[in-house]
Amino acid sequence: MSHAERPLTAMIDPVTGPPDCAAYERAGGWQATRTALRTLAPAEVVDIVTRSRLRGRGGAGFGTGQKWSFVPREPASERCKYLIANADEMEPGTFKDRWLMEGNPLQLVEGMLLAAYAIQAGHGIIFLRGEYHLARTRLHDAIAQARHGGWLGQDILGSGFSFDIHVHVSAGRYICGEETALLTALEGRRATPRSKPPFPQTGGLWGAPSVVNNVETLSNLPHIIANGPEWFAGLGIGPDGGTKIYGVSGRVRRPGAWELPIGTPLREIIEEHAGGMQPGYGLRALLPGGASTAFVDDTALDMAMDYASVEKAGSRLGTGMAIILDDRTCPVGMLRNLEHFFAQESCGWCTPCRDGLPWVERLLDAIEAGTGMAEDIDQLDRHARMLGTPGHTFCAHAPGAMAPLASGLKLFARDFADHIAGRGCPLRHAA
Amino acid sequence: MSIAEQPLSGDLRAEIRALAQAEPHPRGASVAALRLVQAHMGWISTPHLNEVADVLGMSAADLDGIATYFNLLFRRPVGRHVIMLCDSVSCWIMGRERLCAHLCHTLDIQPGQTTADDAITFLPIVCLGHCDHAPAMLVDDTLYGDVDTPTLDHLIDTLREPPP
Amino acid sequence: MTTIRIDGREWPTRPGINLLQACLEAGANLPYFCWHPELGSVGACRQCAVRQFSGPDDRTGRLVMACMTPVSDGAIIAIEDAQARAFREGVIEWMMVNHPHDCPVCEEGGECHLQDMTVMTGHNQRRYRFTKRTHRNQDLGPFVKHEMNRCIACYRCVRFYRDYAGGDDLAAFASHDSVYFGRAEDGALQNAFSGNLVEICPTGVFTDKPFSGVYTRKWDLRGAPSVCVHCAVGCNIIVNAREESVRRIVNRYNAAVNRYMLCDRGRFGHGFVNADSRIRMPMRSIDGHPAPVPTRDAVMQFARMAADGPVVGIASPRASMETCFSLRALVGEARFSTGQTQVEQACGQLACTLLRQHPGVIPSLHEMESADGVLVLGEDVCATAPRLGLSLRQSVRQPSFPMADAAKVPRWMDAAVRTIGCDAPSGLFILTPAPTDLDPVAAQCFRAVPDDIARIGFAIAHRIDPSAPTVTDLTDEQVRLVEHAAATLLAAKKPLVVSGMQYGSPALMRAAAAIASALARTIPASGLSLVLPECNSMGLALLGGLTLEAVMAQARAGKIATLVIAENDLTRRLSPAAVVELLEAVPNIVIIDHTDTPPCRDATLVLPAAAFSECSGTLVSQEGRAQRFFQAVYPPQPIRAGWRWMQALARAQGCVNVQAAARIQATGLTTWQGLDDVIAALGRACPILAGMVDAAPGADYRIDGQKLRSQTYRASGRTVIRSHISVRDQPPPGSPDTPFSSSMEGAYTPDMPPSLVPGYQVPSWNSVQSLNRFQHEIGGDMRGGISGVRLFPAPDATDHPTHPCATDIPAAFARAEDSVLVLPDTRLFGSEELSMLSPPVAARATPPTLRVPTGAAGPAHMTLHLPDGAHTLPVEPLAGLPDGVVLCPSHMVSPAFMFPCMARITPAGEAT
Ligand SMILES: Cc1cc2nc3c(=O)[nH]c(=O)nc-3n(C[C@H](O)[C@H](O)[C@H](O)COP(=O)(O)O)c2cc1C
Ligand code: SF4
Ligand code: FES
């Protein structure tokens, strides 16, 4: 399969802006909707998506079709169900969903319509982070056009299936991206995560069956339905299906995001697409899939960026958006910055996360500022272990926060020791 | 009487009521309603919060528990413009600390504060999803990338212009 | 049988609970914070981590939160696992990051769950070396102090206050490690159960504010099991005292009644016992002025009076059974009055009869919590029986439980069950004249006057059982309500009908009983609950006696020479004119009370009675539960229990009047040695009350030959506290009426009879959380059995009366042209006599107003013309109040006005 195959982003043109409904249709849009609503039963859509080997692009990588299969089967007309697009994208280093929403919002709308049809949900909600002003305007616009075109609303295409989308603009809180906290937020409560069961698929928003999918996940659906699951599965290089939006930020020549076959080697992404490191900078390490994934160093460059391979290398594919630590940036400072984020974004519900992360942040502060002590490393280690294990904290926020720390403590042991011995940052970050 | 103490307009209250009616339970509209008030007033004063709570049938404590939970809901007055400079990792790597220092120096305030002329409030913000153009910042509703000191200086000058 | 393996040992346990409960029930020391037996599990604090293994071959296992993990048969867990221990120690260490090291000045110290858990986990070295975050505290009103820096963010406070008690003015604010628990702004906590925060909070954020002023460490407090005297529900309490003063009231767990919670009136109403209004010396009227006299003189004075002619006794529904009964022994049954008006007594006796005849169930408060269809008929239980209201609030959750079961979510998984049940229908119907605090959780509320509510009630009874009489002329809305309520009740497994005496309406109670017994024909668990006004109203209904009107008649006829009034402020029952008439018609008035009431001014003799905290006795709650309260404080000599005064009077009378001596001798009054003798005599004289003897063990009860201690083993300062007077060791005081030693010497075990538990403490557990160790099963009965005794026998299911109560269906209310129907506006704070003498409660009572229907809004002040005169009050419009009705907080305005009446109302200042 050639690298030119970019179903997700083919229609995105930064100069002309997002396609309007007609342009979208001319480019092949709504084809999948016609197929699904006219010829496929909801269960068949679920089956196709399962066979496409699409896995969630929100970070956890759960099989999308499988996730849907837990939703009770009643038709949308008989039971209130929700399909929610997770557009909270607040993972530092991640900017793929914004690209998709600003570039081709109708694709998301159609993806949601297909997902909703599959699970027979009558209500769609886009949970959009509050800072995405342009995305909001474009989504509103796209939804209006889709309504006008009869793609949203009552009895779509005469199929008897009705569905509409409402945009919920959030007000800034990383934890709202966690799917159960997202539901709590939509219910007008403090967005603390919920325990499972009940799983959202059976008892989600306002207690009704609900599916939360990432924007990228949903945006794939029109292409899967239009071109078939085998085509989609074949797009991936390794075991996973489809393309993936990969991105790179940091001191590379061409920071950015690209749609590539899932499983593209990391080296290719960094060296070919991002153009390699900026002159004068070397690659020290990187977070392969956003702030909550573990550091890998250049020995991992040849790994394929698919779920299993990245895990084998000790990290996670996460959002697939890599952050590069160059050799002139202080790793301790970078960790300090990351942990500040995680400490601040803790929802405050469970003790280890609420009170452990600020401690970690202060230890890193102290080490960076030159007041670190040898035993601080033990403390950091202890926190990495105690907060890092899923199940120790209420949700995956703290384990995510500990992924870069635990790996960083190993990879950058020398730097930590130097900071403590030398009473401060030897690099004096160029800032 | 400052605008923060004036009651919400009937239109605004009606809009909030409509938001509430669109939800299975009125409280589902709480963030939207608070955002709406903030969009009109710049921030959410206690009298306004109480009014919203009243329309939504919630207690003030309940609604304030939500208002104080979210980063983008302001419970203190802000300036005419709000500069939010990303403080997350990619921007940090790309030199946001220097910009932060520059802003503090130029505006003569610390992050979280408002300039003496009430023109600008400067706040840190988490990753704006613009990491490929780090350092990034949001000024009111507009996203800026590849920010450097000349851009900043120019921008501050425009923002400082008194309102028409 | 279900068993689990804890640290290599097999333990029997029960299915359906979580591992934390199972461990605690097995006696393990597993620390926890956010879990609470009544609030369930939410997994927030992460303190209860244990290692769970998937099977005998699993060597690694994984850490799980015990409170979030259901018990499964054969489960293998390790508490004493190194990693689990390290994690638990870590959790405490995180909590202590911001917790101030202020134990020495913290009022939670010595009974602090956080202290206990810190010691239990072994965390003892501070490693966090950075600055602590600090918070501002709030003024939360007269009941509860706020010290937010001590918060460990377990979220118990908001879960209790909001989810459990329905309050909405306490919330969590902000996020991450700056979460803040408080109000939107300073001000008194509005929920009626705010005081429970003191016990719910595992550290010193919320503490007892009145206690703060008279603070004593837990280990220096004496405790006595007792019963609340501020309504007829009969919540169990522990009175904590030091020296001669009551310091505070805390909850005493009774699985069937109040369980873990008290209302604020009960917790903070005790101030009257230390108030200036106390009577401390015998007083005699000399030349019209009261003057203190020695006890001997006072008693002899009575003997002389008694020689003048007939002695009549007036008892009171706020006096103990023993006081009432000994008064009856003193004056003879024919001259004994219950001290209630005709209406009050008739209603009380009707309630008693209806309950005893009810073929279904008379549910305890705990049983009410599992009622799945509830009809409240004309009683604002939130004001008249607050703790009962809290139980009804829990009943509303019933429909969500089957939904949780279907989703395979355990019922104790609190947040999850609330998510699942967020749209579950309520089964609660509230038919009252005015809004109540329970309205927001009701399926339907209906506002009408008591007579119309009774009519609807009778109609519901007819709808359930067509053989019950019909009600005609209902409006369409009323008919729909009847249908809806009847259908809900019939569909319930445990329907419940609640009514009461608030509006003095026998019809309301009859209607309630008619519905409950109609339901009982097909649903044996059909419950009936009737709310009575005072702590011993039911006891008096069982004892019987003359009404006040009958006493008046005798007085007018000049047939009373001496009136002995026990703990009864007649101005709260008789109009001012009637009181004057009575006092003038009777030459000698003897008042025995702990509190100075208006008639004391005109009494010939006033004798200082012990308050509930200073003596022992028995009260019968509205569900017919006899419960004993025990002496906590040893007042200076002249003060003694009411019944001991009767005994003293009888002895003196016997000295001068041989005839009376013989009669009194027959009652045994003069020979009683202690409380147990009074109770025995009472049982002989009134067979229906004979069961009372089992309310608690007698004074001769011993454990291993020892009395029971009422102080902790750590008690200090017995000599020190009096060292400014004398450095000699004082022998601890004692009471012949109780099995307690008032010191730290004596027996104390978690399986002692619960009616005798003076406080909760076990090794390693010094806070109220130690209660877990006293229970068989957590949330179940105490190891030592049950406290108190139900006097009403279980109904005989075969004996089905045919609607004996469905008579006298009232006519529909027709509003009068020239007058309004005045209903009592019963208030949580303000209506009850004794609690209003407690400064913090008085501070929470808002000034009286006249509440009128919103349509009737007119002048800001109006004058109400009641039989005792005109009362001008500020007007407060109240949405929903039926036309032609006004609400008046009776005792705050017109002391003797209790029940509905028609009255004229005029704009203030207008000539009448
Ligand atoms: C702390 C935290 C933050 C998250 N933030 C996001 C997010 O911003 N966007 C997102 O799509 N998923 C986020 N997730 C993952 C979601 O919980 C969820 O797995 C995802 O939305 C499911 O969609 P998918 O199956 O399509 O991947 C987050 C998870 C955690 C634990
Ligand atoms: S780990 Fe705990 S405190 Fe942190 S975000 Fe999740 S639930 Fe909230
Ligand atoms: S008691 Fe188990 S997590 Fe709090």
Side-chain angles (χ1 to χ4, degrees):
Chain A
M1 195 59 56
S2 91
H3 286 186
E5 194 117 34
R6 305 188 288 114
L8 276 177
T9 55
M11 267 185 258
I12 299 183
D13 182 337
V15 181
T16 59
D20 63 16
C21 211
Y24 180 72
E25 187 160 9
R26 277 197 303 279
W30 303 122
Q31 196 46 55
T33 301
R34 287 201 182 86
T35 310
L37 267 56
R38 291 198 171 136
T39 67
L40 299 172
E44 287 174 299
V45 179
V46 176
D47 181 58
I48 289 169
V49 172
T50 309
R51 284 191 286 132
S52 77
R53 285 194 263 131
L54 171 66
R55 292 174 64 172
R57 305 295 196 230
F62 201 80
T64 305
Q66 198 195 350
K67 185 177 197 167
W68 295 353
S69 67
F70 300 115
V71 178
R73 290 282 167 96
E74 294 99 317
S77 52
E78 279 173 26
R79 183 155 181 190
C80 172
K81 293 184 238 177
Y82 294 95
L83 183 272
I84 300 157
N86 189 340
D88 196 47
E89 191 164 74
M90 280 178 82
E91 176 91 354
T94 301
F95 45 98
K96 63 187 183 70
D97 296 341
R98 184 165 71 81
W99 189 30
L100 289 173
M101 289 185 288
E102 288 177 2
N104 194 356
L106 281 166
Q107 175 175 262
L108 173 61
V109 169
E110 186 176 13
M112 289 180 72
L113 171 57
L114 294 166
Y117 179 71
I119 63 165
Q120 287 293 298
H123 307 274
I125 298 171
I126 300 176
F127 190 98
L128 183 69
R129 72 174 290 196
E131 293 88 340
Y132 280 5
H133 297 285
L134 183 59
R136 181 184 52 184
T137 317
R138 294 193 170 166
L139 284 167
H140 278 309
D141 204 38
I143 291 167
Q145 289 187 41
R147 276 196 199 124
H148 185 74
W151 302 106
L152 291 177
Q154 294 298 312
D155 190 18
I156 302 165
L157 291 182
S159 65
F161 177 67
S162 306
F163 176 70
D164 207 343
I165 297 175
H166 155 82
V167 181
H168 174 94
V169 184
S170 184
R173 274 259 138 219
Y174 174 62
I175 197 66
C176 292
E178 197 282 335
E179 61 177 352
T180 60
L182 182 150
L183 299 174
T184 321
L186 283 175
E187 289 175 5
R189 297 174 196 280
R190 298 163 52 78
T192 42
R194 300 174 173 179
S195 59
K196 302 174 195 165
F199 289 90
Q201 292 99 314
T202 53
L205 184 58
W206 306 113
S210 310
V211 161
V212 180
N213 273 135
N214 172 257
V215 166
E216 186 185 350
T217 314
L218 292 165
S219 296
N220 275 305
L221 298 173
H223 311 290
I224 295 175
I225 303 299
N227 301 314
E230 291 75 21
W231 166 85
F232 186 81
L235 289 179
I237 294 176
D240 305 318
T243 58
K244 169 85 194 79
I245 296 186
Y246 292 108
V248 180
S249 60
R251 299 251 176 225
V252 288
R253 275 207 180 85
R254 289 190 301 274
W258 313 272
E259 182 184 4
L260 302 169
I262 191 161
T264 301
L266 180 58
R267 184 183 299 281
E268 183 188 322
I269 298 172
I270 295 176
E271 291 178 0
E272 278 182 32
H273 300 281
M277 297 300 292
Q278 284 179 13
Y281 291 87
L283 185 146
R284 178 83 196 274
L286 66 131
L287 302 171
S292 60
T293 59
F295 277 105
V296 294
D297 60 12
D298 56 3
T299 59
L301 278 181
D302 290 310
M303 73 180 172
M305 286 286 275
D306 60 48
Y307 295 94
S309 307
V310 187
E311 227 155 278
K312 229 174 92 202
S315 190
R316 277 189 317 118
L317 179 61
T319 61
M321 307 293 284
I323 305 161
I324 308 284
L325 168 66
D326 57 80
D327 58 357
R328 288 164 60 182
T329 297
C330 172
V332 177
M334 174 161 168
L335 277 168
R336 197 216 71 89
N337 177 280
L338 289 166
E339 298 310 330
H340 164 75
F341 167 82
F342 287 113
Q344 174 188 297
E345 294 304 318
S346 166
C347 76
W349 177 249
C350 74
T351 312
C353 173
R354 179 188 60 241
D355 291 320
L357 293 180
W359 192 347
V360 167
E361 183 193 344
R362 290 207 185 121
L363 286 167
L364 293 167
D365 261 346
I367 295 172
E368 183 69 356
T371 56
M373 304 197 269
E375 58 264 34
D376 289 352
I377 304 298
D378 302 334
Q379 278 300 332
L380 289 172
D381 253 331
R382 189 173 68 90
H383 277 85
R385 264 183 292 114
M386 299 235 278
L387 299 183
T389 315
H392 286 195
T393 51
F394 193 87
C395 81
H397 177 78
M402 289 301 99
L405 180 69
S407 52
L409 284 169
K410 285 202 203 79
L411 272 182
F412 315 126
R414 273 298 298 274
D415 302 75
F416 276 97
D418 290 351
H419 274 73
I420 291 169
R423 307 228 129 263
C425 180
L427 268 168
R428 282 280 158 243
H429 181 61
Chain B
M1 194 156 68
S2 84
I3 181 164
E5 291 159 49
Q6 280 163 22
L8 298 176
S9 72
D11 285 357
L12 209 50
R13 286 180 70 103
E15 237 181 294
I16 295 170
R17 219 168 286 125
L19 286 172
Q21 270 156 13
E23 294 285 336
H25 296 267
R27 63 174 309 127
S30 45
V31 169
L34 291 171
R35 288 188 62 102
L36 189 65
V37 170
Q38 180 162 308
H40 281 79
M41 309 290 170
W43 66 292
I44 302 153
S45 68
T46 298
H48 289 160
L49 180 114
N50 293 345
E51 266 195 86
V52 176
D54 189 46
V55 176
L56 298 181
M58 296 165 75
S59 72
D62 203 356
L63 190 64
D64 207 8
I66 293 162
T68 54
Y69 181 85
F70 287 98
N71 296 329
L72 296 179
L73 297 177
F74 304 146
R75 286 289 278 115
R76 301 234 183 97
V78 290
R80 290 193 300 281
H81 303 283
V82 181
I83 297 184
M84 296 197 262
L85 182 67
C86 175
D87 71 350
S88 287
V89 61
S90 303
C91 290
W92 179 83
I93 291 173
M94 301 306 284
R96 66 84 61 186
E97 292 297 297
R98 208 178 46 232
L99 293 178
C100 178
H102 182 78
L103 264 174
C104 291
H105 177 79
T106 318
L107 300 175
D108 194 23
I109 51 171
Q110 290 303 303
Q113 295 179 336
T114 302
T115 52
D117 60 356
D118 267 344
I120 299 169
T121 298
F122 170 36
L123 298 171
I125 190 151
V126 297
C127 178
L128 289 167
H130 206 33
C131 321
D132 47 345
H133 293 280
M137 75 182 176
L138 195 61
V139 179
D140 301 329
D141 287 1
T142 317
L143 183 64
Y144 293 81
D146 301 315
V147 181
D148 53 15
T149 37
T151 341
L152 266 185
D153 289 339
H154 178 73
L155 192 84
I156 290 169
D157 287 344
T158 354
L159 296 182
R160 278 231 152 121
E161 247 144 58
Chain C
M1 193 176 67
T2 311
T3 56
I4 55 169
R5 181 173 278 274
I6 306 173
D7 290 325
R9 237 188 102 181
E10 294 276 336
W11 282 98
T13 183
R14 45 199 183 109
I17 60 173
N18 60 59
L19 283 177
L20 173 58
Q21 277 177 288
C23 289
L24 293 172
E25 287 180 5
N29 277 342
L30 181 58
Y32 64 85
F33 287 102
C34 63
W35 175 82
H36 182 282
E38 210 76 319
L39 304 179
S41 305
V42 292
C45 74
R46 316 309 275 180
Q47 183 62 71
C48 60
V50 296
R51 183 169 295 277
Q52 184 173 29
F53 302 90
S54 56
D57 301 326
D58 180 4
R59 293 268 160 269
T60 35
R62 61 188 188 103
L63 287 199
V64 297
M65 296 309 132
C67 75
M68 296 292 277
T69 314
V71 158
S72 55
D73 195 23
I76 306 172
I77 60 166
I79 298 174
E80 295 305 324
D81 164 83
Q83 248 186 304
R85 289 185 62 124
F87 186 77
R88 295 196 301 262
E89 190 181 339
V91 171
I92 283 280
E93 190 173 9
W94 286 317
M95 288 175 173
M96 298 306 287
V97 157
N98 289 312
H99 188 83
H101 291 182
D102 66 343
C103 299
V105 295
C106 173
E107 283 162 20
E108 195 80 356
E111 54 179 333
C112 174
H113 188 57
L114 179 60
Q115 276 181 337
D116 287 347
M117 299 299 100
T118 307
V119 174
M120 192 177 286
T121 58
H123 167 64
N124 55 16
Q125 290 289 322
R126 184 167 183 79
R127 295 187 288 187
Y128 180 82
R129 63 171 191 276
F130 309 101
T131 320
K132 297 180 197 220
R133 63 108 177 81
T134 50
H135 286 303
R136 255 174 19 92
N137 301 326
Q138 290 180 320
D139 180 350
L140 299 179
F143 296 155
V144 179
K145 279 216 300 191
H146 192 222
E147 178 57 62
M148 249 312 284
N149 288 336
R150 297 180 185 140
C151 177
I152 55 163
C154 66
Y155 288 84
R156 265 189 178 192
C157 56
V158 284
R159 291 179 53 226
F160 161 71
Y161 196 89
R162 304 171 64 89
D163 299 347
Y164 193 88
D168 67 2
D169 61 324
L170 184 83
F173 297 88
S175 61
H176 52 89
D177 65 339
S178 10
V179 279
Y180 185 92
F181 300 88
R183 298 185 79 249
E185 49 197 21
D186 285 34
L189 289 167
Q190 294 299 303
N191 190 269
F193 302 92
S194 69
N196 294 295
L197 291 172
V198 171
E199 293 185 46
I200 290 279
C201 173
T203 174
V205 177
F206 300 103
T207 51
D208 184 322
K209 194 180 259 184
F211 179 45
S212 180
V214 288
Y215 184 71
T216 290
R217 288 286 182 215
K218 176 178 178 173
W219 63 76
D220 285 336
L221 286 167
R222 207 160 43 223
S226 187
V227 178
C228 180
V229 296
H230 301 292
C231 83
V233 168
C235 293
N236 291 197
I237 56 175
I238 291 171
V239 178
N240 276 152
R242 191 175 194 193
E243 283 297 285
E244 277 102 45
S245 68
V246 171
R247 303 296 172 98
R248 68 168 177 187
I249 299 288
V250 292
N251 186 67
R252 179 163 63 95
Y253 177 82
N254 182 324
V257 188
N258 48 300
R259 296 175 67 76
Y260 296 86
M261 321 291 180
L262 295 175
C263 80
D264 287 353
R265 187 159 88 200
R267 187 181 295 270
F268 301 107
H270 60 84
F272 74 91
V273 304
N274 296 334
D276 290 343
S277 50
R278 280 304 298 273
I279 302 167
R280 299 184 188 279
M281 290 290 293
M283 307 289 273
R284 217 183 108 184
S285 172
I286 299 173
D287 300 333
H289 295 288
V293 290
T295 304
R296 251 194 81 77
D297 292 8
V299 167
M300 286 319 294
Q301 167 81 6
F302 171 75
R304 283 192 293 275
M305 294 176 190
D308 287 353
V311 182
V312 166
I314 293 180
S316 150
R318 69 163 159 86
S320 71
M321 278 322 300
E322 289 81 356
T323 295
C324 297
F325 175 67
S326 55
L327 175 59
R328 192 175 99 172
L330 177 72
V331 299
E333 203 171 333
R335 298 208 183 91
F336 172 76
S337 161
T338 64
Q340 301 172 104
T341 61
Q342 167 67 40
V343 178
E344 187 184 1
Q345 176 144 331
C347 283
Q349 278 178 338
L350 176 64
C352 180
T353 309
L354 293 173
L355 288 173
R356 291 176 62 193
Q357 285 177 351
H358 177 55
V361 171
I362 305 166
S364 66
L365 258 53
H366 184 44
E367 286 162 337
M368 293 184 196
E369 290 170 1
S370 54
D372 49 351
V374 180
L375 175 67
V376 178
L377 212 58
E379 180 86 8
D380 179 1
V381 294
C382 299
T384 59
R387 181 62 186 80
L388 188 153
L390 188 62
S391 294
L392 293 187
R393 185 179 289 282
Q394 309 317 311
S395 78
V396 170
R397 296 191 67 204
Q398 283 305 314
S400 67
F401 292 136
M403 296 167 78
D405 298 347
K408 302 228 169 8
V409 172
R411 293 181 175 196
W412 40 260
M413 202 62 107
D414 190 63
V417 174
R418 289 182 194 273
T419 301
I420 293 169
C422 74
D423 280 326
S426 161
L428 174 63
F429 290 79
I430 298 178
L431 280 58
T432 49
T436 78
D437 283 353
L438 279 172
D439 291 1
V441 295
Q444 197 177 341
C445 301
F446 189 81
R447 302 280 100 93
V449 303
D451 279 355
D452 287 344
I453 294 173
R455 288 167 55 78
I456 295 169
F458 283 119
I460 294 173
H462 172 74
R463 167 68 183 65
I464 291 166
D465 177 357
S467 72
T470 44
V471 183
T472 48
D473 300 334
L474 292 182
T475 66
D476 287 352
E477 191 192 5
Q478 290 172 336
V479 170
R480 278 195 300 276
L481 171 66
V482 167
E483 281 303 313
H484 189 190
T488 306
L489 292 171
L490 275 169
K493 289 192 192 66
K494 290 177 71 180
L496 168 65
V497 187
V498 181
S499 188
M501 286 175 55
Q502 182 180 11
Y503 298 111
S505 159
L508 271 179
M509 291 194 286
R510 284 214 170 86
I515 301 167
S517 66
L519 286 164
R521 298 185 156 246
T522 48
I523 311 169
S526 149
L528 175 65
S529 177
L530 299 173
V531 175
L532 271 59
E534 293 192 51
C535 63
N536 201 30
S537 293
M538 183 54 87
L540 272 191
L542 291 165
L543 194 62
L546 307 174
T547 64
L548 282 178
E549 284 84 347
V551 173
M552 282 294 296
Q554 289 191 14
R556 270 190 213 110
K559 287 193 189 142
I560 306 176
T562 304
L563 203 48
V564 181
I565 305 170
E567 302 181 32
N568 196 337
D569 174 2
L570 294 184
T571 61
R572 284 177 68 91
R573 294 193 158 82
L574 299 177
S575 70
V579 173
V580 170
E581 191 188 349
L582 182 67
L583 297 183
E584 277 172 2
V586 177
N588 306 309
I589 305 281
V590 181
I591 293 179
I592 304 172
D593 206 340
H594 44 75
T595 295
D596 191 16
T597 58
C600 288
R601 273 194 309 270
D602 302 309
T604 331
L605 206 53
V606 176
L607 303 174
F612 77 107
S613 51
E614 298 155 345
C615 62
S616 305
T618 312
L619 301 171
V620 183
S621 77
Q622 60 192 25
E623 50 161 330
R625 191 182 296 269
Q627 306 187 103
R628 192 96 70 239
F629 57 92
F630 286 99
Q631 180 165 8
V633 169
Y634 300 82
Q637 238 320 300
I639 298 178
R640 60 183 74 174
W643 71 266
R644 284 209 149 81
W645 275 118
M646 308 306 167
Q647 192 173 45
L649 298 183
R651 287 192 178 129
Q653 192 184 1
C655 294
V656 296
N657 182 336
V658 201
Q659 223 182 339
R663 191 186 55 71
I664 289 168
Q665 191 126 45
T667 67
L669 174 55
T670 47
T671 59
W672 297 335
Q673 296 297 309
L675 189 76
D676 294 334
D677 296 337
V678 192
I679 296 167
L682 211 172
R684 281 191 301 275
C686 316
I688 185 163
L689 287 159
M692 235 179 75
V693 66
D694 297 323
D700 57 355
Y701 182 81
R702 296 291 180 273
I703 295 177
D704 297 333
Q706 288 185 297
K707 283 192 165 196
L708 314 183
R709 66 182 170 84
S710 56
Q711 277 183 307
T712 73
Y713 287 128
R714 290 197 287 162
S716 63
R718 185 200 292 174
T719 53
V720 176
I721 195 161
R722 300 180 58 91
S723 62
H724 61 295
I725 304 165
S726 158
V727 292
R728 280 203 325 206
D729 190 3
Q730 298 286 320
S735 161
D737 297 334
T738 79
F740 291 103
S741 76
S742 63
S743 68
M744 62 182 182
E745 287 87 21
Y748 176 86
T749 84
D751 47 19
M752 64 204 293
S755 49
L756 297 180
V757 174
Y760 305 109
Q761 189 191 27
V762 292
S764 300
W765 302 74
N766 298 288
S767 80
V768 61
Q769 312 294 325
S770 55
L771 172 56
N772 293 333
R773 292 287 195 261
F774 287 73
Q775 297 164 328
H776 258 308
E777 291 179 349
I778 286 172
D781 282 337
M782 297 278 279
R783 287 182 191 275
I786 56 169
S787 181
V789 59
R790 296 283 295 263
L791 297 178
F792 301 156
D796 181 357
T798 54
D799 167 32
H800 232 288
T802 41
H803 313 292
C805 23
T807 53
D808 71 359
I809 297 173
F813 172 69
R815 61 161 306 191
E817 269 312 307
D818 55 344
S819 56
V820 289
L821 176 66
V822 193
L823 296 177
D825 179 6
T826 315
R827 294 189 175 184
L828 177 65
F829 308 122
S831 299
E832 197 271 332
E833 181 184 0
L834 297 179
S835 58
M836 274 299 274
L837 298 168
S838 184
V841 169
R844 282 285 280 115
T846 46
T849 54
L850 202 61
R851 302 214 271 176
V852 304
T854 22
H861 285 77
M862 292 190 94
T863 304
L864 193 60
H865 303 272
L866 291 177
D868 70 341
H871 303 273
T872 299
L873 291 166
V875 168
E876 194 188 339
L878 182 63
L881 202 59
D883 249 7
V885 174
V886 301
L887 294 184
C888 172
S890 26
H891 295 304
M892 301 176 82
V893 174
S894 166
F897 166 75
M898 292 180 82
F899 298 116
C901 69
M902 297 301 290
R904 260 178 344 105
I905 184 168
T906 52
E910 219 169 75
T912 54

